[in-house]
Amino acid sequence: TCPQCHRSASLDPRGLRGFPRNRLLETIVQRYQQGRAAAAAAAKCQLCDRSPPEPAAVLCEQCEVLYCGSCQLRCHPARGPFARHRLVPPPAHPGGGGDGGGKGAGGGRKVPTCAEHELENYSMYCASCRSPVCYQCLEEGKHGKHDVKALGAVWKQHKAQLSQALNGVSDKAKEAKEFLVQLKNLLQQIQENGLDYEACLVAQCDALVDALTRQKAKLLTKVTKEREHKLKIVWDQINHCTLKLRQSTGLMEYCLEVIKENDPSGFLQISDALIKRVQVSQEQWVKGALEPKVSAEFDLTLDSEPLLQSIHQLDFIQMKFPVTVPPVPLLQLEKCCTRNNSVTLAWRMPPLSHNPVEGYILELDDGDGGQFREVYVGKETLCTIDGLHFNSTYNARVKAFNSSGVGPYSKTVILQTSDVAWFTFDPSSAHRDIVLSNDNQTATCNSYDDRVVLGTAAFSKGVHYWELHVDRYDNHPDPAFGIARINVVKDMMLGKDDKAWAMYVDNNRSWFMHCNSHTNRTEGGVSKGATVGVLLDLNKHNLTFYINGQQQGPPAFENVEGVFMPALSLNRNVQVSLLQFGPTHP
């Protein structure tokens, strides 16, 4: 019984060896083993002190030496005379390769023969038995009445079916990869939303605690006032009673002394007035005069039970919010910045925002107080806009949208572009043969053919001037200096297509070139130590060149309009460095 499909199969006297061999799997295993052996015998470092040497990481084309990573840093640093050497990956081992040492189809691989007739090759395919057969199998009659087809035709048919099935699997795999990216983004979003919700929960609970603290202070004030009121009443009663008691006691003592006297005439002389005084003193102690006016108990009862119940019942609720337009996005001012004539803006949605967001619309004015225009529409929350005007103030705003409509605008942020352009050579857009150094301010080339490199700044308005110093000039090459659009062709001399305007120069003279048209031949070339200046006046829409401070003829090109980048083409015989640049020609 098959352990995979659990189908039963009858065995002939040969046992398991009677099953057909999976020759395709054998070939794949053999190819894999040969690939492993070839990888084990890969190129080794030629300068390693270790035993065995480390595998080589790079090959220097000039030194013709293989280096591992540590030996390359120690023996072949990317500076000094080694800076011009070209390092490439080591060559593949001669015995390697994906075909298992050169045994491809039709090569040294053994042609499969019939399992029952070892001298016969497979030539037909029995559709009934689903197995390849040879001519002798058909002659013996075992497959005589079966549906037999040409082996090559069935092979191509099944290959096409497998390829078609693989296309479907490939599409599903692509969808799965996109789904994994979506899930990873969801993980990050859940993490960020969790932090936002935690912060919001802490803020809400802190607000409840603050409100309870304030109410507690108010209630304590009421208790204090009530206590002071009661104390005042009691103290007033004490003082009043003490005064009356002192008066009564003095009257009593006086009366007792009078009663002790034995002089009747003297007694009767004052007795009437004294009796009235005693009666009046007695009348002052009316009913209730000897009872406290206030109670020691406070008639204040705090009903905290409903609040305690509310606190115990405080919990999250699941609400189905109706889908409405998104709220106002929040600009993240700490991430908004400018560099040269480009601006970067970042924003986010407020926490606890329940309305879905399908995308954002970023708008920017013209830098001169004009109308806003759309510069970005998408799902990202970070955007960089290049090619703006120098020394200009731009206003930017953003809004979100979903299926219900467009939300309100954010607050407007004001961004100021640089007064003066600051740029270097751009490694990301340069031809792969261009070699940059000195913080991308020095350029040369690995090829004898002309290759193009652009600057990192783009100009569309104003007057701009920059200079380049010729550090090395061998064998009279023709470097070209000028401006170009971002999509200029980079594997030929600057100015040969319609995307660049340039002056190319040798050691004796210079020419202007655009669309492969050569004009304005002028005496005066370059050599080592020469300085080439480029003046781009986008107010007058012209371009002028200088060599060692001398203008090369009239303005090279008229009616130059659009967005341009500083550009240079050179080969391995030239090395050029940026010297200075500014808003105007000095």
Side-chain angles (χ1 to χ4, degrees), residues 168-178:
V169 175
S170 176
D171 293 340
K172 294 298 181 182
K174 184 178 179 181
E175 293 178 5
K177 289 181 180 179
E178 295 175 352

Side-chain angles (χ1 to χ4, degrees), residues 192-202 204 316 351-354:
E192 293 175 355
N193 288 347
L195 294 176
D196 289 340
Y197 270 82
E198 287 179 3
C200 186
L201 176 62
V202 170
Q204 288 178 321
F316 299 102
L352 304 182
S353 174
H354 301 284

Side-chain angles (χ1 to χ4, degrees), residues 254-548:
Y254 177 66
C255 289
L256 290 176
E257 292 296 326
V258 170
I259 291 174
K260 290 179 182 179
E261 291 294 330
N262 296 321
D263 183 6
S265 60
F267 178 82
L268 292 175
Q269 186 178 3
I270 61 171
S271 61
D272 290 335
L274 192 60
I275 290 172
K276 289 182 179 180
R277 287 182 60 188
V278 171
Q279 289 176 347
V280 170
S281 176
Q282 184 179 359
E283 290 175 356
Q284 289 180 352
W285 301 100
V286 295
K287 184 178 181 180
L290 297 179
E291 295 178 1
K293 295 183 178 180
V294 293
S295 169
E297 302 296 329
F298 283 72
D299 297 331
L300 300 173
T301 303
L302 182 62
D303 187 10
S304 61
E305 188 62 27
L307 181 57
L308 289 174
Q309 291 181 359
S310 298
I311 292 176
H312 292 151
Q313 294 173 358
L314 187 62
D315 200 353
F316 299 102
I317 57 174
Q318 299 291 335
M319 297 182 63
K320 294 291 185 179
F321 293 93
V323 178
T324 59
V325 297
V328 178
L330 303 177
L331 285 167
Q332 296 181 276
L333 299 181
E334 68 278 4
K335 296 183 180 180
C336 297
C337 61
T338 63
R339 183 181 183 273
N340 272 340
N341 59 338
S342 66
V343 298
T344 298
L345 296 110
W347 59 90
R348 64 179 178 86
M349 295 305 293
L352 304 182
S353 174
H354 301 284
N355 295 326
V357 176
E358 296 179 6
Y360 302 92
I361 300 174
L362 177 62
E363 295 184 357
L364 201 70
D365 68 0
D366 59 358
D368 198 23
Q371 293 183 346
F372 283 90
R373 68 188 191 281
E374 292 184 2
V375 294
Y376 171 75
V377 178
K379 296 182 179 181
E380 299 297 329
T381 57
L382 181 72
C383 181
T384 298
I385 303 100
D386 299 313
L388 303 177
H389 300 317
F390 284 92
N391 194 24
S392 299
T393 301
Y394 286 89
N395 294 282
R397 63 188 184 185
V398 65
K399 59 184 177 181
F401 64 87
N402 58 18
S403 58
S404 297
V406 180
Y409 284 108
S410 68
K411 293 182 178 180
T412 301
V413 62
I414 301 174
L415 299 164
Q416 173 75 37
T417 54
S418 302
D419 295 338
V420 179
W422 173 266
F423 67 88
T424 61
F425 294 120
D426 184 10
S428 62
S429 63
H431 192 278
R432 61 179 178 274
D433 291 335
I434 293 292
V435 178
L436 300 179
S437 59
N438 189 27
D439 293 331
N440 296 330
Q441 296 185 64
T442 298
T444 186
C445 183
N446 282 329
S447 173
Y448 285 106
D449 297 321
D450 291 300
R451 301 296 187 233
V452 173
V453 59
L454 302 177
T456 54
F459 305 125
S460 59
K461 187 177 73 171
V463 182
H464 307 276
Y465 177 79
W466 60 96
E467 290 183 347
L468 303 106
H469 183 266
V470 180
D471 303 330
R472 179 170 53 82
Y473 187 82
D474 305 327
N475 302 323
H476 309 302
D478 300 328
F481 309 85
I483 59 174
R485 301 194 191 279
I486 186 65
N487 56 345
V488 64
V489 178
K490 298 184 178 68
D491 57 359
M492 61 184 182
M493 182 183 288
L494 193 69
K496 285 195 172 184
D497 64 353
D498 61 345
K499 303 296 190 299
W501 292 255
M503 175 189 73
Y504 73 94
V505 57
D506 60 15
N507 60 322
N508 291 321
R509 60 193 68 84
S510 64
W511 295 263
F512 300 156
M513 185 163 63
H514 174 62
C515 290
N516 205 23
S517 175
H518 308 252
T519 59
N520 290 58
R521 171 177 167 175
T522 305
E523 296 299 322
V526 296
S527 60
K528 180 180 178 180
T531 300
V532 177
V534 182
L535 177 62
L536 175 62
D537 189 342
L538 290 170
N539 296 334
K540 297 180 180 179
H541 307 291
N542 60 34
L543 182 65
T544 308
F545 296 98
Y546 300 83
I547 296 180
N548 295 327

Side-chain angles (χ1 to χ4, degrees), residues 65-86:
V65 176
L66 291 166
Y67 299 92
C68 66
S70 58
C71 290
Q72 187 259 322
L73 293 175
R74 186 177 71 254
C75 305
H76 198 290
R79 60 180 182 271
F82 293 118
R84 301 177 185 175
H85 288 200
R86 183 179 183 185

Side-chain angles (χ1 to χ4, degrees), residues 81-307:
F82 293 118
R84 301 177 185 175
H85 288 200
R86 183 179 183 185
L87 301 177
V88 297
H93 190 269
D99 59 353
K103 292 187 179 181
R109 185 179 299 164
K110 182 180 177 181
V111 177
T113 58
C114 179
E116 298 182 2
H117 310 95
E118 295 182 355
L119 300 179
E120 296 290 338
N121 297 331
Y122 287 121
S123 59
M124 307 295 288
Y125 180 79
C126 179
S128 303
C129 298
R130 294 185 178 181
S131 64
V133 296
C134 67
Y135 180 77
Q136 192 170 346
C137 291
L138 297 178
E139 289 293 327
E140 291 179 353
K142 183 178 179 180
H143 302 276
K145 295 183 180 180
H146 291 180
D147 183 13
V148 180
K149 299 179 182 179
L151 183 65
V154 177
W155 173 58
K156 292 181 179 178
Q157 178 185 357
H158 284 207
K159 262 197 169 182
Q161 292 176 355
L162 181 59
S163 298
Q164 185 176 1
L166 281 177
N167 289 335
V169 175
S170 176
D171 293 340
K172 294 298 181 182
K174 184 178 179 181
E175 293 178 5
K177 289 181 180 179
E178 295 175 352
F179 180 62
L180 284 175
V181 173
Q182 181 182 354
L183 289 179
K184 290 180 180 179
N185 293 335
L186 184 61
L187 283 175
Q188 182 178 359
Q189 188 174 2
I190 290 173
Q191 184 71 16
E192 293 175 355
N193 288 347
L195 294 176
D196 289 340
Y197 270 82
E198 287 179 3
C200 186
L201 176 62
V202 170
Q204 288 178 321
C205 291
D206 288 346
L208 291 176
V209 172
D210 291 342
L212 187 61
T213 302
R214 290 193 297 269
Q215 191 63 24
K216 171 181 147 184
K218 292 181 181 178
L219 295 175
L220 286 175
T221 302
K222 287 185 177 181
V223 172
T224 301
K225 288 182 178 180
E226 181 69 15
R227 181 188 65 199
E228 291 177 351
H229 175 68
K230 286 180 176 288
L231 291 175
K232 183 178 182 301
I233 292 176
V234 172
W235 275 113
D236 290 344
Q237 243 185 320
I238 289 174
N239 293 333
H240 183 69
C241 184
T242 301
L243 177 61
K244 286 185 177 181
L245 180 60
R246 188 180 299 117
Q247 293 174 351
S248 298
T249 303
L251 181 60
M252 289 171 56
E253 291 175 353
Y254 177 66
C255 289
L256 290 176
E257 292 296 326
V258 170
I259 291 174
K260 290 179 182 179
E261 291 294 330
N262 296 321
D263 183 6
S265 60
F267 178 82
L268 292 175
Q269 186 178 3
I270 61 171
S271 61
D272 290 335
L274 192 60
I275 290 172
K276 289 182 179 180
R277 287 182 60 188
V278 171
Q279 289 176 347
V280 170
S281 176
Q282 184 179 359
E283 290 175 356
Q284 289 180 352
W285 301 100
V286 295
K287 184 178 181 180
L290 297 179
E291 295 178 1
K293 295 183 178 180
V294 293
S295 169
E297 302 296 329
F298 283 72
D299 297 331
L300 300 173
T301 303
L302 182 62
D303 187 10
S304 61
E305 188 62 27
L307 181 57

